Amino acid sequence: MRQCLTSDLGGYYTSNAPSEKDQFGAKGDFVTSPEISQIFGELIGVWVVAEWIAQGRKSEGVYLMEMGPGRGTLMDDMLRTTRNFPALAKALEAVYLVEASPRLRETQHKLLCGDNETKENSIGFESTSKHSPDLKIVWTEDIRFVPREGNKTPFIIAHEFFDALPIHVFQSVPPSPQDSDGTIQTPTGPILGTRRKMPKENQWRELVVGPKPPHRLDDGEAEFELSMSRAGTPHSMYLPETSGRYQALKATDGATIEISPESQAYARDFAVRLGGSNRDTPPSPTSPDATVGGKAVPSAPKEDPVVKDEPSGAALLMDYGPANTIPANSLRGIKQHQMVSPFLSAGSTDISADVDFLGLAESAINASPGVEVHGPVDQARFLTAMGIEERAAQLVKRAVDRERAGSTGQDKKELTEIVKRIETGWKRLVDRSPQGMGKLYQVMAILPYKPTAHGEQRRRPVGKKKKDFDTDGTRTHNLCQTSYRKATPYH
Ligand code: SAH
């Protein structure tokens, strides 16, 4: 997925070939919510404003960060909204855009900065907002370049970003003779094992992408296919053991799970920015993290812990995926608004997979003692609670009033068109039928966690109803709840 989507050599998002068209819109491959209606970005802006107010209106050190901003429409609509709150606009010190595509970076620049100059900086590029010379817009390819400072308040938005991150797929199979010696399959060949006995319980096998053999390759068909690895792989021995949610399925023959370690790393990063690092796990730069096939695997470089006296900020994750189950068989290709094989025309087909919301929630909670997670709730519920219908009515009224005042020079037909666009747009976003986006898309928030004093009511984030989460003041770990919290109390 990584190669097909973001490789420098002809990735779907990163290709510079002049023949490559815009991915978005009716002529492209897909349409996203911010492109359907301006109200979407406005309501996300209102959500950020509401969180900023609820957290005491910080007067400095606030930044916005968007992951994979596409054409920049969502951020543009958000900034137009937040500008109506001058104290927040003043507190905003930068907007960080994490974007892998140079071409989309240019599109975003045009929309957000107009003709303002772009210059290179130490983490990528920067310019200034078309609305204010005081607001820096910064582009970087990797979130790890954006400084993590304990005195900052980040508001992080990820819309249709996580579904583009690579997944690993595993299937549980009964023990077989291939497992008997513990051989591990790696991309460069097998590592022979030393085990003597056949394991008694089911094993996880990775489903890997490989080229289709020429005799099975028909014209116009996908050149790659998914097949089950003959032996364990380093990933199959490690990733499915990282959560009780996966372990619980190991004994079920044929159980299939998709895990996206890269997505989990982003969720951990967001959590640490909001709530600070765990205090009880100091980095150990010298010891290896794991052994595979009897060999020590060196750990990734350790990151500096973030010390945060007071958790602050918020992250809003909006994507396509099941609300409370582990995704399975969800890898798909999208071309010209149709579902196609993900293995067709690598690099010119969009590929995506369902997002494992509870997996992200678990990663965030485990990464920081200062965060809690709300939701996911479906997009219809979230946008309705945020006032989508009221905002649409306001836009319609404004268009009608303007036409009546004769200030627009529009004729009746144009007005009818505008009203129709507003109405069909917002309704599509909250439509719960299979054609709409209201039920398929989920919204989940990571927020600062603060223990409540005895008898004190817990604060609820805007856009979430009371029954969306309990109010007992602990971070309880219950996968069946819509609200996901861990059993250990905050200390
Ligand atoms: N959020 C936008 C665009 C969604 S498409 C919208 O809703 O309209 C996915 C976006 O993520 C694109 O901007 C793409 O270039 C970017 N992207 C995909 N993989 C990425 C990665 N690994 N790192 C940074 N950006 C990535």
Side-chain angles (χ1 to χ4, degrees):
M1 278 179 87
R2 186 179 298 118
Q3 289 300 318
C4 292
L5 293 177
T6 55
S7 156
D8 289 347
L9 300 168
Y12 178 74
Y13 287 113
T14 38
S15 170
N16 255 332
S19 60
E20 291 300 323
K21 54 175 183 1
D22 189 356
Q23 299 95 342
F24 300 81
K27 290 198 189 127
D29 293 318
F30 54 81
V31 184
T32 59
S33 295
E35 304 294 334
I36 290 173
S37 168
Q38 68 180 70
I39 305 177
F40 186 80
E42 290 172 348
L43 294 182
I44 308 301
V46 169
W47 189 84
V48 166
V49 173
E51 270 307 311
W52 170 77
I53 291 173
Q55 293 179 28
R57 302 170 193 256
K58 296 257 174 338
S59 60
E60 57 184 18
V62 179
Y63 67 87
L64 288 176
M65 176 154 68
E66 188 181 352
M67 315 300 300
R71 283 174 167 175
T73 312
L74 171 55
M75 185 51 76
D76 192 44
D77 292 334
M78 279 178 71
L79 288 177
R80 198 181 53 250
T81 307
T82 53
R83 262 177 357 113
N84 292 328
F85 298 83
L88 171 58
K90 195 154 168 263
L92 258 190
E93 54 182 41
V95 175
Y96 291 99
L97 302 174
V98 179
E99 177 55 71
S101 157
R103 183 193 289 255
L104 286 172
R105 190 181 68 226
E106 278 171 25
T107 310
Q108 294 153 17
H109 173 265
K110 206 175 283 167
L111 186 62
L112 300 172
C113 308
D115 293 331
N116 293 346
E117 193 195 345
T118 314
K119 53 179 196 245
E120 265 186 70
N121 65 13
S122 59
I123 66 168
F125 298 88
E126 67 176 73
S127 185
T128 51
S129 160
K130 66 183 176 197
H131 298 299
S132 158
D134 297 328
L135 183 59
K136 226 171 31 166
I137 313 274
V138 184
W139 285 267
T140 184
E141 278 180 28
D142 194 313
I143 192 172
R144 285 171 295 188
F145 295 139
V146 181
R148 301 202 298 184
E149 292 156 296
N151 58 351
K152 300 276 152 106
T153 296
F155 289 97
I156 306 170
I157 307 296
H159 181 257
E160 293 228 38
F161 171 71
F162 282 98
D163 69 349
L165 298 180
I167 55 165
H168 287 271
V169 188
F170 306 100
Q171 199 170 82
S172 171
V173 296
S176 71
Q178 282 104 312
D179 295 312
S180 57
D181 68 354
T183 293
I184 307 166
Q185 201 67 43
T186 74
T188 49
I191 299 175
L192 297 179
T194 50
R195 207 196 287 148
R196 297 267 169 261
K197 280 195 221 114
M198 192 159 116
K200 287 201 185 67
E201 75 283 4
N202 274 12
Q203 302 288 306
W204 287 111
R205 281 293 167 73
E206 186 162 8
L207 302 186
V208 290
V209 181
K212 234 185 215 174
H215 67 274
R216 281 204 280 115
L217 195 62
D218 288 329
D219 260 4
E221 274 194 11
E223 295 142 313
F224 296 91
E225 63 184 1
L226 209 56
S227 52
M228 194 184 291
S229 166
R230 276 196 305 264
T233 62
H235 286 118
S236 73
M237 302 180 76
Y238 170 64
L239 287 175
E241 303 302 333
T242 54
S243 165
R245 299 171 69 224
Y246 314 136
Q247 287 164 356
L249 289 171
K250 192 171 180 180
T252 309
D253 286 356
T256 306
I257 55 173
E258 294 172 356
I259 307 180
S260 173
E262 207 169 303
S263 301
Q264 294 176 356
Y266 278 106
R268 282 198 294 274
D269 186 302
F270 297 173
V272 167
R273 283 173 196 273
L274 303 183
S277 308
N278 283 319
R279 277 159 241 172
D280 45 359
T281 49
S284 52
T286 48
S287 61
D289 272 350
T291 51
V292 173
K295 286 191 186 146
V297 178
S299 65
K302 290 283 187 250
E303 289 161 347
D304 287 336
V306 175
V307 179
K308 202 148 174 173
D309 295 335
E310 193 200 10
S312 67
L316 199 62
L317 283 50
M318 293 158 284
D319 233 304
Y320 191 98
N324 50 21
T325 55
I326 303 166
N329 307 321
S330 78
L331 186 67
R332 60 188 160 260
I334 313 272
K335 213 173 174 57
Q336 290 159 356
H337 305 271
Q338 301 293 323
M339 199 100 105
V340 296
S341 160
F343 308 117
L344 192 71
S345 326
S348 61
T349 301
D350 176 34
I351 38 181
S352 63
D354 279 2
V355 170
D356 180 7
F357 282 95
L358 287 189
L360 298 181
E362 186 172 36
S363 302
I365 297 275
N366 287 340
S368 171
V371 297
E372 61 183 23
V373 176
H374 296 268
V377 294
D378 67 39
Q379 174 163 303
R381 191 152 150 190
F382 177 75
L383 293 179
T384 306
M386 291 299 302
I388 192 167
E389 189 168 356
E390 292 78 1
R391 175 63 178 150
Q394 194 183 44
L395 289 177
V396 168
K397 182 170 179 307
R398 195 176 295 172
V400 173
D401 288 350
R402 271 207 214 133
E403 199 256 354
R404 282 211 188 114
S407 59
T408 56
Q410 293 164 349
D411 59 22
K412 271 256 145 33
K413 217 169 114 214
E414 277 174 277
L415 177 68
T416 315
E417 270 308 304
I418 293 173
V419 171
K420 204 167 113 196
R421 215 176 42 234
I422 297 169
E423 289 291 329
T424 50
W426 83 264
K427 283 182 181 153
R428 187 167 165 200
L429 298 185
V430 294
D431 179 358
R432 283 204 163 97
S433 79
Q435 287 75 42
M437 298 166 109
K439 200 172 166 59
L440 296 174
Y441 284 82
Q442 305 289 325
V443 181
M444 189 172 87
I446 308 175
L447 292 177
Y449 172 72
K450 285 179 200 139
T452 43
H454 187 66
E456 193 188 341
Q457 277 284 320
R458 287 176 60 75
R459 180 177 77 79
R460 279 195 301 278
V462 64
K464 301 268 158 51
K465 301 231 175 71
K466 186 172 192 314
K467 64 176 189 299
D468 288 338
F469 60 100
D470 53 47
T471 52
D472 63 1
T474 59
R475 306 199 306 157
T476 48
H477 182 141
N478 182 344
L479 295 174
C480 300
Q481 281 172 221
T482 32
S483 185
Y484 183 89
R485 310 217 197 99
K486 198 169 71 171
T488 42
Y490 177 76
H491 43 236

